[in-house]
Amino acid sequence: MLTVAVLISGAGSNLRALLEAADEPDFPARVVVVGADREADGFAHAEAFGIPTFLVPYEQFDTRAAWGEELRRQIEVWSPDLVVLSGLMRLLPEGVVRAWAPLLINTHPAYLPSFPGAHGVRDALAAGVSETGASVIVVDTGVDTGPILAQEHVPVLEGDTEHTLHERIKPVERRLLIDVVRRIGSGELDLAPFATP
Ligand code: GAR
């Protein structure tokens, strides 16, 4: 059984979907802990499923590296097989990425390599593209530059706002994330070849 730690910053809707999937007896992964860099609303989902949570408030550390080291320490208490960034809106320090990669994946609301970064939905709208998408990647030391494990296009519709477009992307993200975690858990998808050089 693959054990998974999930890191969030916000509502945790993707986390919720993963928790629901992992609650199914035949799903080959279990979420063992949920962490965040701020008081995230998504903690409520973890609590509803009886999953422990921890908070490492970014602003309480002098440097990103110090914050990352504490995050790493908290995660390592649980010895997870996989760490999932599910809406964590902070860049992990390089040392933390190197410690976990390639067993570290991220969901992103755009069809990478287009529109990386913190505003993938807004940037796609601003660019006036007719389709964007959702991606699940292995995290490397760049910003959303890691190997792509799964992705799917989502059309941009006339009159879309950042909110309506993001709400249409999120169900696709959830499906991709759950499928990737399932494939890793079942052994169908091996992340070892994606090790960061
Ligand atoms: C998701 O769309 C996720 O891909 C995005 O934040 C949202 C979190 O939603 N992450 C990024 O943009 C990271 N660059 P949620 O908290 O409801 O799951």
Side-chain angles (χ1 to χ4, degrees):
M1 180 68 69
L2 186 86
T3 57
V4 181
V6 182
L7 294 175
I8 61 170
S9 291
S13 62
N14 289 340
L15 162 69
R16 172 92 197 185
L18 186 58
L19 288 167
E20 285 171 359
D23 217 29
E24 296 295 322
D26 58 348
F27 195 78
R30 291 286 172 269
V31 178
V32 292
V33 70
V34 174
D37 62 323
R38 64 195 79 175
E39 275 293 352
D41 290 346
F43 274 151
H45 301 307
E47 283 150 19
F49 280 78
I51 308 295
T53 60
F54 69 84
L55 177 61
V56 184
Y58 183 81
E59 64 283 355
Q60 286 183 14
F61 293 82
D62 290 338
T63 62
R64 179 182 304 275
W67 168 75
E69 278 314 305
E70 179 58 17
L71 194 67
R72 175 172 155 177
R73 207 184 60 74
Q74 295 272 353
I75 293 258
E76 283 173 3
V77 168
W78 300 90
S79 303
D81 300 316
L82 178 73
V83 179
V84 174
L85 308 185
S86 184
L88 181 75
M89 300 307 282
R90 300 257 180 221
L91 271 186
L92 288 177
E94 188 173 328
V96 176
V97 172
R98 289 196 184 279
W100 292 335
L103 300 169
L104 173 62
I105 66 173
N106 184 31
T107 66
H108 185 73
Y111 200 89
L112 292 168
S114 298
F115 311 116
H119 304 292
V121 181
R122 191 186 304 171
D123 293 346
L125 264 185
V129 291
S130 60
E131 59 179 9
T132 180
S135 306
V136 179
I137 63 171
V138 177
V139 178
D140 69 5
T141 56
V143 178
D144 298 325
T145 50
I148 294 164
L149 298 173
Q151 62 185 166
E152 200 171 303
H153 284 295
V154 173
V156 179
L157 303 182
E158 184 106 20
D160 255 340
T161 61
E162 185 176 356
H163 178 73
T164 59
L165 180 55
H166 203 169
E167 287 306 302
R168 233 174 28 263
I169 291 171
K170 278 185 173 187
V172 178
E173 266 191 89
R174 285 173 208 147
R175 183 161 40 73
L176 295 179
L177 174 64
I178 290 166
D179 188 55
V180 165
V181 172
R182 186 188 55 72
R183 286 192 288 133
I184 296 170
S186 68
E188 190 187 317
L189 175 59
D190 180 12
L191 295 183
F194 301 112
T196 305

